[in-house]
Each structure stands twice: as C-alpha cells, then as structure tokens.
C-alpha cells in the first residue's frame, strides 16, 4: 500500500521592541502588543515576575495594576503576579513550572491569552517552558531585564528547565509572541550582571561581524563603566545579529550538525563544576578566551587577533581563569573535556565545535586536540598568575 | 530605537508507511527508517510498548531484539523496552512521562536518537510528549496499533497528557520522525476498538469527502464484521484526508478560530462524564449523530442526509445514546453544553463549531442554540428507546 508523505511549512514571526518605562501610563507599547483574538475580545494576561526584579523595583506590581486598569478595554490581569525565585535555581525544580500550570488552569488562561514574564534569562526559560506546554502553547510575552536576556537568551526561540543535574535537559522550541526590552531595568543590575551580558556580544561579534568587534573594542572602557548609550547600541546590534542567525540557519535545530556556540562548550561545564556561582556570561568569557587561544595554537587564528580578543575581555573586566578549568575527573581526564562529550550528547549527532579563523569569521571543526587544549588552559593560568604578581 | 521583526519558516516532513509484519526479519521498513546522523553513525532506539499490545503479542519483545541484532550495523537498542499501561490511564499521571525522561538520561538518548513507541493513541500521546520535551525533541517513530491511531491520532502533529482533570491540558505540537502503520496489530483489537476507530473516518468523510462517505456506506457491514481489506482501504483514505487537512490548514493551530473537530465538542465531555469507560470513537460517533441531527434542526442539512448518517453509524454497530448526554450540572445546565465552554477555553479564542451543510461539506458556526441541542439529544434518546422496544 502506497506510503504517504506529509510536508508543510509553518511561519513564525515576532517583534523585538526597545523601550524605557514600559509600564508608565504614557507608554502604549505593552497595550499595543495585546492582540484581540476576535473583534472586541479583551486579552487575559498572567504576569510572572523574577523576585530579584521585584525587590529592585518594589513599585512594579502596583505600576502594572495601574497600567492594566488604564487599559482595561484591551486587557485584564489574570490574578496576582506569580513571583519566581530568580537565577538558575528556578530551573532546578519542577515547583515553579507546576505553579504556573496551576495558574493557567485556575485563571482560565487559553491559547489566546498571555503569559508575560519579567526577569532574567533563567526565569524567562522556565516560564517559557510552562507557557509552551500549557494547552500546547500559550502566548508568551518576554520582558527581559538583564543585558544577557535582552541581547541573547530572551529574544530566541528556546525555553528550558534543568533535570538529572543537566542544564536544559527539558524544553521546547517555541517562539515568543513578542519581546519587550525595557532598558530601564538594566539600572538595577549588579556590575557582574551588567558585564556578564557583554560576553555574548563579544561572541557574536567574533564569529559574525568584525565591525561590531571594533565597536566593542573602542567602547570597552565605556561599557565597563556602565555607559548606557553604548550599552543600548550593543544590545540592539547583538540582538539583530542573533535574530538573523536564528532565522538564517536552522531555527529548531533539526539538522545533523549544529555547531556549538562559540566558547560555550567549556562554559556550560565550568558553570556546572562551579555550582552555578559563576555567571553564564563570566563562564562564556573564559570559554571565548580559551577557544581563541586554542584557535591560535592549531594555526587558524593569528597571534595578534588572539591577543586583541584577550585584551578586550580583560578591559571589560572579565577574569579569564578559574581553578575549575584545571579540574580532573577520577580517571585523570580534564573535567571540561568530559563536558564536551556531554554537550555533544545533549545536541545529538557529530561533535561540531566553532573556532575562529579571524575576528568576524568562525570555522567548524569536528575534533579537539586534548594536548593543545590543555596547553591553552595553561596559558590562561600563567597569565592570571602574572597579573596577580603585578598587583 | 528601531524595533526588530523576526520572521522565519520551518519545514516539517515525515512519511506514513503501511506494512505487515513490521519486525519480521525480511521486512526492511523499520531499519530503513533509521537515518544515520553522520556517515557511519549507528542509531540508538528506545522502545516504549503499550502493555495491552505486549499482552496480545507476547513474542513482540523478542522479535524486536532479533530484528535489532540482525540490523546491528544500522541501529542498536537503548536498554530494554519500557512497558506502559495502555489507555487513557497513562495520560492521567506524570509517572510514565518521568520514566521515559529518566531512560532518555540513563541511555544517553540524544536529539538524533529515536524513541519508537508501539501502542494505541493514549500511549502515543504520552510518549510523544516525553520525547518532545527531552532535549527539546528526540526523534519519534510512532507505531500505532489501533484503527483510531493508524488513521487519525497517531499520524498527526500533536502529543499530550492530562492534568487538572482536563484532557490534553499539557502537550506540544511536534511532528513525528515517521509513522509506521502495521495492519497486523489490528487483528488483536477487541470489536469495540475495531469499531471505535471507524468513527473518525466517518467524521472526516462527512466534512471533506462525500465519495469516501459512499465507500463507508457501501462497506458498512463488511467493516462491522472485520473485513481486513475494507479496513485497510478505510485507514489509508482516512489517513490521507487527515494529513491533507493538517498540511492545508494551520498545523500548529496559531490562528484565531480553529473549528472544533466535527462531533468532538460533546465527545470530549461525554468521555469525561463517563469516566473514560466509553471509547473515544464511541463518544465521537454519538457526537457525530448529535451534530448531524442538530445541523438538520437548524436547517443546514437535509433530513435525508441526516438519516443516512445515523443509519451508517447504527450499521457500524455504534450505540448513539448514553445517559450522560442528558446529565445536568448542579445549576441545571446540560453538562455537555458546559463542556462546550471548557473546550473553547482549551483552544482559546472565539467558539467555533463545525456543522454540516451536506455530506462532504462542513460549515462553521459560532454559537449553539441550547434549546435545539436539547431537542437533538431528545431525538437520540427516543430513538434508543424505540430500538430497545423492538428488541
């Protein structure tokens, strides 16, 4: 009997807006984002708020209530906001996902209602997962509050929680309904978090856009000292590059060899080895330094460009060596190298690592020379010792 | 600062094959379905098996082992199969989903490995959900074993589990990697399950294809007496119509008014009211009868065609009235009508119900006249009483 071949395309689209004072009464953006599902329909919105953001902005809940009241012909709040523990912790338990699913049930949130989540990348990931599996997908409005979430993790198509001690073990690909980047939230960031988000911009500049690398290099000290206009420009450019990368590639990663994000294979493992005390961006900065030096050691990148990358990262204030880089497993293997295999398993398929052939141009390889990688780690360690001696 | 507008399309494709003796050594289909993710890669396959199927085919596990051994250059088994309680029960708990996620972790199943699930619609739904959220989606091979799963639920793009006493509360849209329909599994079906799957064929014929309705009408007694060639033809035609419906419409149901499947709004509620003792297809047959009579009462369908539909359903052996149709809530409302609102909430947006204007042609409406619907229920009840008197 003849086989049948199913085939179809699905179009996804969403806006990424940039604003200040999102819930000020004279800012129409949030209300304009709500689309009636039929003429006259009033949108229902469940808010999820990162407890860290709520602490920094104690007036936020009331501001949202006032805004909703003023726009009551457009949308209504579904109950009180759910306040979620910020940071990776909220992804390490099923508690928060279940709490959101319960609220979806309790408040009658349907596929044309909204979950609006305000917070850092971890809270966006977790709430995004809950939204994606409830009724097979409730509309998700992401309101990222960190540099990292505004320029990278919060504008993409993925969500996740951790399980079995593995980062992002559970998740889906689910484009948001809209992303609203409010720069005002950045003011409350700790210096570490401000800096941390810049690492993804360095990453994307290195593999995609040498002019953007020059911008970062020229503005390194402004960025390190929290110059807001420079940061806004960084976020916009990084977001644009990131969106283009997703749209132009394989958005749902169905292909057979998705390259690991540049500098990320070691970063993920370092975060785990370090018990997630290090920020993701701090780990990525180390990963970028490591893979830049390694790219030079295998003869792909010039020493001059490799030095320039390290110089930029140091100017931005990143520490480029932590002892976890040299940690070994019980069998004597470098623990970060073991992480390489775990990451491959998460992605599936053949190991594919992005290296650099020049600033602005990545190149894929399928194996890593352990000896040279160990040497690269040694170079970062020596450099750190020298810096300490100088101090 | 200028807004960014993300936009991309994702292409999905999968085959639906028809076969006999899927795990006989001379049948290459299963092995051919496994695609190496890079040259020389050996696929890893975790089997999930409906315990009802395992009971009917005690040799199945050994047959799969022998088949895998004979094809060991193409794929290998990831541990022993997981045997899952068949029927809706497996969707009412998180136990089975977690068990599959644990196996994904334990056996290193990655995004290019396979979960092959053998069973009825409920087991396919549940295992499909576990596969879809593990690593953001492991390749899923569905091997449906019932008429309903082979011609409808097992060939589509959805998965789900139940939560908060609501059917399919959690789930995702996730096209399978492949569907392998093995007709041999149908031999073990109870008469109720054989018949039950025919209801979806009647549904799709009524809204899409009058020639298919004629085929069903002419072959009603052959189908009722388990004629295998007639059933194979039914499954193939129904599957093709169903696949075209998905591809030609809004596969991930992002639009604002997805019509409820014909006859399904009452069917879902009847299943719940009945504690899932009634089969889904049995409930759908009642739902079809109800909405056909209602279509006639509101002047959309001729009495002649409405009678023909009822005649076909009765010839196939369906009971068209159960007391739950007349159940009332504590406020005196008909419980099935209450179900209408719950279903609308699950889907979101405006209520949209499919009725018939003739056999082969559905028509959407946005409200239901409770009085006429009550009358339609009365007609089914009276008809049942008459039949009983005749016996």
């Amino acid at each position: 009997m003849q086989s049948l071949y199913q085939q179809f395309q699905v179009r996804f689209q969403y806006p990424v807006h940039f604003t200040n004072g999102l819930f000020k009464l004279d800012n129409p953006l949030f209300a304009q984002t709500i689309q009636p599902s039929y003429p006259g329909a009033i949108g229902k919105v469940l808010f999820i708020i990162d407890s860290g953001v709520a602490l920094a902005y104690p007036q936020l809940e009331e501001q949202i209530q006032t805004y909703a009241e003023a726009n009551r012909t457009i949308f209504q709040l579904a109950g009180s906001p759910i306040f979620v523990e910020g940071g990776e912790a909220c992804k390490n338990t099923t508690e928060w996902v279940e709490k959101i699913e319960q609220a979806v049930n309790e408040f009658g949130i349907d596929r044309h209602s909204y979950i609006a989540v305000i917070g850092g990348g971890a809270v966006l990931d977790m709430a995004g997962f809950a939204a994606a599996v409830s009724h097979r997908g409730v509309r998700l409005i992401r309101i990222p509050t960190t540099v990292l979430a505004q320029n990278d993790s919060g504008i993409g198509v993925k969500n996740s929680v951790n399980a079995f001690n593995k980062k992002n073990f559970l998740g889906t690909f689910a484009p948001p309904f809209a992303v609203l980047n409010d720069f005002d939230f950045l003011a409350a960031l700790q210096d570490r978090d401000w800096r941390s988000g810049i690492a993804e911009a360095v990453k994307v500049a290195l593999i995609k856009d040498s002019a953007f690398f020059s911008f970062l290099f020229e503005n390194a000290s402004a960025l390190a000292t929290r110059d807001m206009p420079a940061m806004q420009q960084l976020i916009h450019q990084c977001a644009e590059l990131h969106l283009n990368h997703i749209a132009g590639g394989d958005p749902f990663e169905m292909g057979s060899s998705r390259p690991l994000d540049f500098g990320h294979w070691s970063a993920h493992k370092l975060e785990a080895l370090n018990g997630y005390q290090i920020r993701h961006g701090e780990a990525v900065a180390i990963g970028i330094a490591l893979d830049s030096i390694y790219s030079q050691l295998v003869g792909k990148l010039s020493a001059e460009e490799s030095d320039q990358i390290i110089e930029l990262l140091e100017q931005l204030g990143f520490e480029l060596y932590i002892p976890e880089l040299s940690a070994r497993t019980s069998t004597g293997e470098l623990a970060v190298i073991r992480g390489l295999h775990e990451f491959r398993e998460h992605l599936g398929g053949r190991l594919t690592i992005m290296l650099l052939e020049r600033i602005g141009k990545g190149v894929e390889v399928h194996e890593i020379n352990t000896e040279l990688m160990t040497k690269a780690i040694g170079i970062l360690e020596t450099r750190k010792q020298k810096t300490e001696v100088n101090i």
Side-chain angles (χ1 to χ4, degrees), chain A:
Chain A
M1 199 168 251
Q2 224 179 341
S3 297
L4 301 171
Y5 294 92
Q6 177 68 314
Q7 188 172 314
F8 58 84
Q9 290 195 317
V10 179
R11 173 187 294 271
F12 297 93
Q13 51 191 351
Y14 58 93
V16 177
H17 298 292
F18 301 88
T19 193
N20 292 89
L22 181 62
F23 294 109
K24 288 195 173 144
L25 287 179
D26 61 355
N27 189 332
L29 183 60
F30 187 88
Q32 282 168 354
T33 300
I34 305 298
Q35 300 292 324
S37 60
Y38 54 93
I42 292 175
K44 205 186 273 185
V45 186
L46 171 68
F47 272 89
I48 316 290
I49 304 178
D50 190 318
S51 60
V53 176
L55 201 65
Y57 298 94
Q59 77 291 10
L60 183 61
E61 184 179 357
E62 200 189 318
Q63 216 183 359
I64 291 171
Q65 275 167 355
T66 308
Y67 189 89
E69 182 54 33
N71 291 283
R72 64 184 176 279
T73 57
I74 297 166
F75 76 94
Q76 65 184 40
L77 298 179
S80 302
I82 296 176
F83 294 94
V84 171
E85 186 183 3
E88 201 67 18
C90 76
K91 293 174 64 177
N92 283 327
T93 155
T94 57
E95 179 190 345
W96 297 108
V97 170
E98 284 166 12
K99 200 158 182 174
I100 294 172
E101 290 167 358
Q102 270 162 21
V104 167
N105 181 48
E106 186 180 340
F107 297 114
I109 298 289
D110 63 34
R111 283 172 53 73
H112 296 265
S113 301
Y114 301 80
I115 289 181
V117 51
I118 304 175
V123 173
L124 301 183
D125 272 356
M126 181 283 297
F129 181 59
V133 298
S134 295
H135 299 305
R136 299 196 184 99
V138 167
R139 292 176 174 179
L140 179 71
I141 299 175
R142 295 202 200 110
I143 302 168
T145 57
T146 66
V147 175
L148 180 61
Q150 291 193 355
N151 72 9
D152 187 279
S153 65
I155 62 169
V157 298
K158 301 189 205 177
N159 57 59
S160 59
V161 294
N162 307 329
F164 309 110
N165 276 318
K166 288 181 183 161
K167 197 170 156 92
N168 303 339
F169 187 89
L170 300 176
T172 72
F173 293 93
F177 187 79
V179 181
L180 311 179
N181 275 339
D182 180 347
F183 293 127
D184 285 355
F185 283 117
L186 304 182
L189 292 179
Q190 292 176 29
D191 284 347
R192 282 183 72 183
D193 292 308
W194 171 281
R195 183 184 304 115
S196 189
I198 302 175
E200 298 288 348
V202 175
K203 172 204 77 182
V204 77
L206 285 173
I207 58 177
K208 297 250 171 205
D209 186 344
S210 62
F212 186 38
F213 183 85
S214 302
F215 165 83
L216 296 172
F217 203 82
E218 283 153 25
N219 290 275
S221 77
L223 289 165
T225 54
R226 303 190 68 145
D227 179 79
M228 188 58 95
M231 181 55 97
Q232 292 185 5
Q233 209 176 325
L234 175 150
I235 287 173
H236 193 275
Q237 178 66 11
C238 186
E240 187 163 14
L241 286 166
H242 192 65
L243 291 172
N244 290 343
H245 175 71
I246 292 170
D250 175 12
F252 290 0
E253 298 172 13
M254 298 190 289
S256 62
S257 70
R258 180 201 137 192
L260 306 185
D261 274 348
F262 180 62
H264 275 58
W265 68 270
S266 55
H268 279 265
K269 188 64 183 181
L270 287 175
E271 284 180 87
L273 287 170
N274 177 266
Y276 295 100
Q277 294 307 300
I278 194 173
R279 301 289 198 276
H280 177 66
E282 291 169 345
V284 167
I286 296 171
I288 289 171
L290 187 63
D291 286 358
S292 297
I293 293 173
Y294 180 83
S295 295
Q296 180 200 338
L297 292 179
V298 296
K300 291 190 187 298
L301 184 69
S302 72
E304 191 194 342
E305 291 204 322
S306 170
D307 288 348
Q308 228 185 330
I309 296 167
I310 304 296
E311 192 186 328
L312 169 60
L313 293 169
E314 288 180 343
Q315 276 203 26
L316 289 168
F318 287 109
E319 291 256 14
L320 300 182
Y321 179 83
I322 56 171
E324 285 82 354
L325 266 174
S326 303
R328 289 186 183 267
T329 67
S330 54
T331 59
E333 191 186 10
L334 270 174
V336 282
I337 298 277
R338 175 69 222 140
L340 195 61
H341 302 297
E342 287 168 8
F343 207 147
R344 189 209 60 76
E345 184 177 282
H346 174 63
L347 296 173
R350 190 174 174 194
L351 178 66
T352 304
I353 298 281
M354 177 79 81
L355 295 179
L356 296 180
E357 62 181 35
R358 55 180 165 77
I359 286 172
K361 178 93 176 71
V363 57
E364 293 178 5
V365 300
H366 297 289
E367 53 188 321
I368 288 295
N369 179 317
T370 307
E371 207 178 311
L372 290 179
M373 189 54 78
T374 309
K375 192 169 169 191
I377 290 172
I379 290 171
L380 286 177
E381 187 176 8
T382 309
R383 199 175 170 99
K384 156 121 177 162
Q385 286 160 352
K386 277 194 200 147
T387 318
E388 282 169 350
V389 169
N390 288 343
I391 294 167

